[in-house]
Amino acid sequence: MSKANNSKSAGFFERAKKVLPGGVSRNTLLRGQHPLYVSHGKGCNVIDVDNVQRLDFANNMASHIHGHAFEPIVEAVSKQLQRGSAFTMATEAELLFAEHMCSRSPAFDKIRFVNSGTEAVMAGMKAARAHTGRSKIAKVEGSYHGAYDYAEVSQAPTPENWGGIDHPNAVPLAWGTPEGVLDDMIIIPFNDPEKAVALLEEHADQIACVLIDPIPHRIGMVPVTAEFVQALRKWTTDNGALLMFDEVITFRSEVGGMQERFDIAPDLTSMGKMIGGGFPVGALAGRDEVMDVFVNGRLPHSGTFSANPITMTAGRVAMEMFDADAVARLNKLGEYVRSSLLEVIKIADAPACVTGTGSLFRIHLKAEAPKNYREAHPSDTEKKALSALIDALYDNGIMMIHTGAMALSTPMWHDEIDQLSEALLKSLGSIKHLLGTTK
Ligand SMILES: Cc1ncc(COP(=O)(O)O)c(C=O)c1O
């Protein structure tokens, strides 16, 4: 990646290291010698402070569904800014957005807004505990759900500590995670209904909820199977536990999120990212009876900036304009991107594959698509090669997420996909020598 030591980005990073731990406010920006600093973005392009333009398939970690500086959002938010940004009062902006969101899924009787996906998942886990009076939560090995202590468990286990697949260990992410947190987490393997149900059975009367991300990006961005979802829905219903979908990223997949593709309704759904129209957001939606915990005394809950009218306005405009036609077009473009990239991989004769569904996709430097976290876990060779591939793509005008994941936005059309394909062909060529041992 063009990271000359005399670049403006390098200079900013030298200053940043003196005042920010590691020079950043989010570890995901730490790659290579220094992060790139942005000047501005417009549509699906981002221009850095050294005046290099790139096509943005990272979209602030899959959060911009309409790209950058989307005119209708800029206009609506500018008007709201003139009238104030946050009040100790309820707003019509919040009401309008809540009405819109509840109209998108039959599983959303009520919705509560917060400020991040982390907060939405945390509120969901606490709501499940408050509703059921139980403390244990089951989650899928390797799935990412944000920074709440419980959500972080087994987010990044390694072969050294993940244990047997019939009984995956609950592995802490952060040093000092209390033992009690680990004791309350049940780790289940992805897309393996038989093993998952057997594990849940061991703690049947203690489980408050089973949490799943329907397209877990850290596991490999392979969608959940209907069989897995149905088994978890049935088990939770039969055993007095709740089923929670984490749709912080995947809500973009259909008008009503990935849950729309299965003939089941989760009890709770966490959302975030794109529903904020570019501003910090999180939301928890669900069944009336469960959402009641926020007001019946079981789970007192507030947040100073929750449902502020800036986010509510931006979010409503973004979501109203991401209607059924826009969702369908972007999903179709997703099919085009996946088939184009597979074609490129074939031409490059590289041990690589593409996973994903709808407008989300991920490149793996593995010949076969991984089926679970353990298969998705990259070898040292793959890690090094992927890092080099991402650098090469940056040099060829493409920005992607550090895991190899990418997300489409509505300003993108076939042209942008063709640019990505061309860049991938060049980039694979330049890093192929690193992949010798993975074939
Ligand atoms: C599935 C999922 N849940 C929760 C989160 C946390 O969201 P936030 O970064 O807004 O706290 C993320 C973030 O990437 C996510 O992908």
Side-chain angles (χ1 to χ4, degrees), residues 4-159:
N5 282 343
N6 58 358
S7 69
K8 271 195 185 170
S9 281
F12 283 162
F13 189 57
E14 282 311 305
R15 283 167 51 199
K17 281 190 290 189
K18 296 188 182 123
V19 285
L20 299 164
V24 291
S25 298
R26 49 206 288 213
N27 282 16
T28 39
L29 296 189
L30 279 176
R31 291 194 59 251
Q33 292 160 344
H34 62 79
L36 294 174
Y37 285 73
V38 66
S39 160
H40 60 283
K42 184 72 193 160
C44 52
N45 289 299
V46 169
I47 292 92
D48 72 21
V49 288
D50 292 294
N51 220 17
V52 180
Q53 178 170 318
R54 294 181 182 86
L55 250 177
D56 188 6
F57 287 93
N59 276 307
N60 190 35
M61 296 288 179
S63 67
H64 294 306
I65 199 69
H66 298 298
H68 301 277
F70 183 54
E71 211 50 59
I73 294 179
V74 172
E75 238 173 70
V77 165
S78 303
K79 270 193 203 142
Q80 180 59 47
L81 266 173
Q82 306 283 344
R83 305 172 61 190
S85 63
F87 305 89
T88 322
M89 295 171 92
T91 67
E92 189 185 7
E94 153 193 29
L95 174 59
L96 291 171
F97 191 28
E99 285 170 347
H100 175 80
M101 290 303 292
C102 286
S103 77
R104 290 181 86 104
S105 170
F108 298 176
D109 291 337
K110 297 263 164 57
I111 188 165
R112 182 156 275 215
F113 294 109
V114 289
N115 301 292
S116 68
T118 290
E119 232 188 299
V121 171
M122 176 172 74
M125 286 185 173
K126 291 171 75 169
R129 291 190 200 119
H131 178 71
T132 60
R134 301 169 174 182
S135 63
K136 290 195 194 297
I137 310 271
K139 69 163 279 201
V140 167
E141 184 173 53
S143 58
Y144 184 84
H145 299 284
Y148 183 36
D149 286 8
Y150 296 86
E152 282 180 344
V153 175
S154 286
Q155 175 190 306
T158 62

Side-chain angles (χ1 to χ4, degrees), residues 116-118 144-146 213 217 246 248-249 273:
S116 68
T118 290
Y144 184 84
H145 299 284
D213 175 341
H217 50 104
D246 183 357
V248 164
I249 288 191
K273 303 222 183 213

